Structure formats: C-alpha cells, structure tokens
Amino acid sequence: MTVHLSKAPRGSIPLHATDRASFAAHAAALEPAAQRWLHSVGFTGAPDTHAVLPGTDGSIAAVWVGVHGAAHPWSLAACPKTLPAGSYHLGELGLALDAAAAALSWELGSYGFDLYKPARREPAQLHLPSSAHTQRALIVAAAIASTRDLVNTPAEHLGPAQLADAVKLVAKQHGATFKQTVGDKLLKGFPAIHAVGRAAGADREARLIELNWGNPKHPKISLVGKGVCFDSGGLDIKGADGMRLMKKDMGGAANALGLAQMIMALKLPVRLQLLIPAVENAIAGNAYRPGDVFKTRKGIHIEIGNTDAEGRVILCDALAYAAEGEPVLLIDMATLTGAARVALGAQLPALFCRSTDLARDLVDRSMDLHDPMWHMPLWRGYHGGIESDIADIVNTGKSALAGAINAAIFLEDFVPAEQDWLHIDLFAWNNESRPGRPVGGEAQTLRTLLAYLEARYVAM
Ligand code: BES
Ligand code: ZN
Ligand code: ZN
C-alpha cells in the first residue's frame, strides 16, 4: 500500500492539484516568485504532469499536479512513480480533489508486477484522512491489483490448481466456503469442462472452482469467470502471435474473483456465488477434437467446430449450473473472442444483455466512472449459424462474421429466458501503458459492476 489513511508525518509535502482550465486562476493566488517558477518550468496544469516548488532551504516546499478533474479516477495516477520519493498529503490550494479518487488513482499508479524483478524505484507515499470513501477506494484498488497479478502470472506458475489456490485464499480471508470438482469427477455433472481440460498434464487437471459467501436471506448474485490458464488453441492450434498472450485467457476468472473480493470486503448485502471453470486448453493424445460431440450438463448436445473456441464450451456447463441456483443476477466475464476485440479494441469490453434498459444503465454508469463497456446485441437472427447438422449447436459459426455475437448466443442457450444475465467479453490486458494502467493484465468493468450492485442492492 502506498496510500495511508493516517495523519501525514512531519515533513510531508503538500500536493496542490489543478487543471488546464483553472490553472491561471490558481496561479494568480500564488506569490510572484512561485508563479514565475511554475511558468519557467512550463507547467500548465496539463493532466499527468507536475511541478516541484523548491523551498528556500533546498527542500521541496510543495508539488503542483495537473489532473483530468477533481473526481477523475486516474487523477493522481502518474504521481507515485514520477514524484520524488517521500510522503505527500493533499494541500489546501488549487482544486479540492475527491479523496476517494485520490486514493484509488494513487494506489493504481503505484501498481507494478514485481514477482520476478524488483520495482525500479520506491513509489511516493500519500497520506489521506480515513473515511468510508477512502477505505472503499483502497478495497477497490486492492482487488484490481490482485486481478492484474493473476492475469500477469505466467501459465507455468498459474495453472488450474494455482488458480483454485488463489480462490481458496480469498475464501479464507472473507469467511466464504470453497469447493472444487477436479479431473475425472467432472464427468459427472460438468462433461464440457472435462472435455476441454482433459489433455492437460496430471498436475494441471481441469476443475470447477466454487466459492459461496453471505447471508442466505440476501439476494443471490452468481459470478462466472472463464479460467483458461493457457489457451494453445488445442488441436486447432493457434499461430505464434495469437498464442503469445494466452496466459491471460483466465482474465475473466481473475476479474470475477476481483469483483467477488470487492463485494465481500465491502460486505454488500448479497449472497455471492463465484464459479470458475478452470482448464488448460492443451494438446495431447487425449485432447478433444474438431467434430466431437459432447452432451453438456444441461443436456444440450454441442459439436466442436474448432477446439480454439473452448471458452464457450467450459462456460456452458458453469452457466447451466449457476442458473439452477436461480440467482437474481448472473454475470459471466470471459476473454471469449478475438472478434469482440476487432469490433471494440482492447479498452472496451463488450456487454451482452437481454434487457436493453439494463444494458444502457450499465453503459452510462461505465462512461461516468471511466470504466467503460459497450453494448452489443444478442441477435437471434444468427442462431441458425450456430446450429449443427448432427448435434444441437456447434461452438463455431458457419459464417466468420459476428464472432462475438455467435459466442454470446451460444452461451445464451444455457441461460433460462427469465434469468437476468450479463455476459461481458473482455480483453483483460493493456497493450499500451497509461498512467495507472501499465502494459499487462487489467481489471475491466469491475468498478462499474460494483457501483451497479451497490445502487441496486444496498439500501440507501
Ligand atoms: N481466448 C480466445 C479469444 C481471444 C483471443 C481473446 C485473443 C482475446 C484475445 C478464444 O478462446 C478463441 O480463441 N476464440 C476464437 C474462436 C474462433 C475459433 C471461433 C477466436 O476468437 O478467434
Ligand atoms: Zn481459444
Ligand atoms: Zn480462449
């Protein structure tokens, strides 16, 4: 933690925030020498820039930082790794920053994945008053950091068993129950998960991981995350470029676990079920094959058109199981299709939802919170394209078009019509580095979903 909800120590440096629009007014209130200094170093209040104001004794008297806005979730994200090391607190001048946004952006700006090599420098530290808002922000930041860590961890060190260990640890921290169905035990109940995961090595057996938490009297929320710890494509093997990042194919699971952590740490009045079908999509003599047909948990027969469309295969059993528990809301998150990325790029997860009103509500919230997602349709007109000649449905579309929709409507067949359901096809990765969002694993839509759950289920 680089944000401390405690009194600033002696010698802590005041941090004054401003933005381009108000910088002139803020500067006008300063002593002439300070005004000239900020001008001399070219500071304009541009976001993610800062200027250090020297004291007469050679110490740092204050730092001015430019921000996008007073309550912007990335307001101070550039600070921890660019400001001189030391302790800071929010100063009196300039914009009155929202303390929760300051806490969140500072924590995320300090994030680095340092499992294999140490961070290049010690991040600067921020002291903030403790409040329910700043505490919530730190809980959110911690969950985002653990989501990123899981995605960043290579498949060698994060197979299905290690992913289960990560869930088990979280369950222990929050007094949740943990269970898993492993290997051949999946044949009874979860045959599709077994089929995808059966070619992985003995120490990397497929499993369905389950966490349950909360008061049974509260409304039940079920989260399902795609946990493909490595996606080689299976017998329909990917090319080198397509495989390079596939350690992140458990990004849906990592995000679902991150959201679960937030819900439990904030003690939302819900009953939570987290389900993670965890597999490695590997190649061996016993691998599942193109042309195979499997009877799924729900009784729907699926034909395998392509072993690289494995996500929808493992998710269909998990979704069918989740729906049996009749949650008030079922959410699945998955790095499901390259097609969603072609359509929307890395930054915009695709949201599929039967209710247009609910989808619009979520998209609006996501834009407000700078945690975006974009609505795409569950277009039934394409269902004929995923129907099979010898089984009910096939895991690839007859047409190469609308790949993200084909995957979503495949999943839809496993979710009862009356079930409230969100399907989020996400990338879980930053290709480019931005302040607070380094290249690597990323949490997406979690702040939006948390805000939605709070608005819907927490009595105000
Ligand atoms: N994990 C991939 C999807 C993916 C690829 C997500 C790259 C993000 C970045 C998924 O399992 C997959 O390979 N899907 C195929 C499906 C196709 C064979 C029908 C795809 O999208 O190409
Ligand atoms: Zn695949
Ligand atoms: Zn995949």
Side-chain angles (χ1 to χ4, degrees), residues 226 228 230-233 238 246 249-250 281 307-312 335-337:
K226 171 178 170 180
V228 176
F230 189 74
D231 184 8
S232 70
K238 287 179 182 293
M246 281 300 125
D249 212 20
M250 33 55 70
N281 191 14
T307 60
D308 196 10
E310 82 297 337
R312 67 200 79 178
T335 50
L336 200 60
T337 67

Coordinates of all heavy atoms in Angstrom, one line a residue, residues 226 228 230-233 238 246 249-250 281 307-312 335-337, ligand 3:
K226 N -14.3 -17.1 -17.0 CA -13.6 -18.1 -17.9 C -12.1 -18.2 -17.3 O -11.4 -17.3 -17.3 CB -13.5 -17.6 -19.3 CG -12.6 -18.4 -20.2 CD -12.6 -17.9 -21.7 CE -11.5 -18.5 -22.5 NZ -11.5 -18.0 -23.9
V228 N -9.3 -20.1 -18.4 CA -8.4 -20.9 -19.3 C -7.0 -20.4 -19.0 O -6.6 -19.3 -19.4 CB -8.8 -20.8 -20.8 CG1 -7.8 -21.5 -21.7 CG2 -10.2 -21.3 -21.0
F230 N -4.1 -21.4 -19.9 CA -3.4 -21.2 -21.1 C -4.2 -21.7 -22.3 O -4.8 -22.8 -22.2 CB -2.0 -21.8 -21.1 CG -1.2 -21.4 -22.3 CD1 -0.6 -20.1 -22.3 CD2 -1.0 -22.2 -23.4 CE1 0.1 -19.6 -23.4 CE2 -0.3 -21.7 -24.5 CZ 0.3 -20.4 -24.5
D231 N -4.3 -20.9 -23.3 CA -5.1 -21.3 -24.5 C -4.2 -21.5 -25.7 O -3.8 -20.5 -26.4 CB -6.2 -20.2 -24.8 CG -7.1 -20.6 -26.0 OD1 -7.0 -21.8 -26.4 OD2 -7.9 -19.8 -26.4
S232 N -3.7 -22.7 -25.9 CA -2.9 -23.0 -27.1 C -3.8 -23.1 -28.3 O -3.2 -23.1 -29.4 CB -2.2 -24.4 -26.9 OG -3.2 -25.4 -27.0
G233 N -5.1 -23.1 -28.1 CA -6.0 -23.4 -29.2 C -6.4 -24.8 -29.3 O -7.4 -25.2 -29.9
K238 N -3.2 -22.4 -32.2 CA -3.0 -21.0 -32.6 C -1.6 -20.8 -33.3 O -0.7 -21.6 -33.0 CB -3.1 -20.1 -31.4 CG -4.5 -19.9 -30.8 CD -4.4 -19.1 -29.5 CE -5.7 -18.9 -28.9 NZ -6.7 -18.1 -29.6
M246 N -1.6 -15.7 -24.4 CA -2.7 -16.6 -23.9 C -2.6 -17.0 -22.5 O -3.5 -17.8 -22.0 CB -3.0 -17.7 -24.9 CG -3.8 -17.2 -26.1 SD -5.4 -16.5 -25.7 CE -5.3 -14.9 -26.4
D249 N -5.8 -15.8 -20.7 CA -7.1 -16.3 -21.0 C -7.9 -16.7 -19.8 O -9.1 -17.2 -19.9 CB -7.0 -17.5 -22.0 CG -8.2 -17.5 -23.0 OD1 -8.8 -16.5 -23.2 OD2 -8.4 -18.6 -23.6
M250 N -7.3 -16.5 -18.6 CA -8.1 -16.7 -17.4 C -8.5 -15.3 -16.8 O -8.8 -15.1 -15.7 CB -7.3 -17.5 -16.3 CG -5.8 -17.3 -16.3 SD -5.3 -15.6 -16.1 CE -5.8 -15.3 -14.4
N281 N -6.2 -25.3 -22.1 CA -6.5 -25.9 -23.4 C -5.3 -26.4 -24.1 O -4.6 -25.6 -24.8 CB -7.2 -24.8 -24.3 CG -7.9 -25.3 -25.5 OD1 -8.0 -26.5 -25.7 ND2 -8.2 -24.4 -26.4
T307 N -11.5 -26.4 -31.8 CA -11.1 -26.5 -30.4 C -10.6 -25.2 -29.7 O -10.4 -25.2 -28.5 CB -10.0 -27.6 -30.2 OG1 -8.9 -27.2 -31.0 CG2 -10.5 -29.0 -30.7
D308 N -10.4 -24.2 -30.6 CA -9.9 -22.9 -30.0 C -11.1 -22.1 -29.5 O -10.9 -21.1 -28.9 CB -9.2 -22.2 -31.1 CG -8.3 -21.0 -30.6 OD1 -8.2 -20.9 -29.3 OD2 -7.8 -20.2 -31.4
A309 N -12.3 -22.5 -29.8 CA -13.5 -21.8 -29.2 C -13.9 -22.6 -28.0 O -15.0 -23.0 -27.8 CB -14.6 -21.8 -30.2
E310 N -12.9 -22.7 -27.1 CA -13.0 -23.5 -25.9 C -13.7 -22.8 -24.7 O -14.3 -23.4 -23.9 CB -11.6 -24.0 -25.4 CG -10.8 -23.0 -24.5 CD -10.5 -21.7 -25.3 OE1 -10.4 -21.7 -26.5 OE2 -10.2 -20.7 -24.6
G311 N -13.7 -21.5 -24.8 CA -14.3 -20.7 -23.6 C -15.7 -21.0 -23.5 O -16.2 -21.3 -22.4
R312 N -16.5 -20.9 -24.6 CA -17.9 -21.1 -24.5 C -18.2 -22.5 -24.1 O -19.3 -22.8 -23.5 CB -18.6 -20.7 -25.9 CG -18.2 -21.6 -27.0 CD -18.5 -20.9 -28.4 NE -17.4 -20.0 -28.7 CZ -17.4 -19.3 -29.9 NH1 -18.3 -19.4 -30.7 NH2 -16.3 -18.5 -30.1
T335 N -12.5 -13.7 -21.5 CA -11.8 -13.3 -22.7 C -12.2 -14.3 -23.8 O -11.5 -15.2 -24.2 CB -10.3 -13.4 -22.4 OG1 -10.0 -14.8 -21.9 CG2 -9.8 -12.4 -21.4
L336 N -13.4 -14.0 -24.4 CA -14.0 -15.1 -25.1 C -13.7 -15.1 -26.6 O -13.5 -16.1 -27.2 CB -15.6 -14.9 -24.9 CG -16.4 -16.2 -25.3 CD1 -15.9 -17.4 -24.4 CD2 -17.9 -16.0 -25.1
T337 N -13.7 -13.9 -27.2 CA -13.5 -13.9 -28.7 C -12.5 -12.8 -29.1 O -12.5 -11.7 -28.6 CB -14.8 -13.6 -29.4 OG1 -15.3 -12.3 -29.2 CG2 -15.9 -14.6 -29.0
Ligands
ZN3 ZN -9.7 -18.8 -25.0

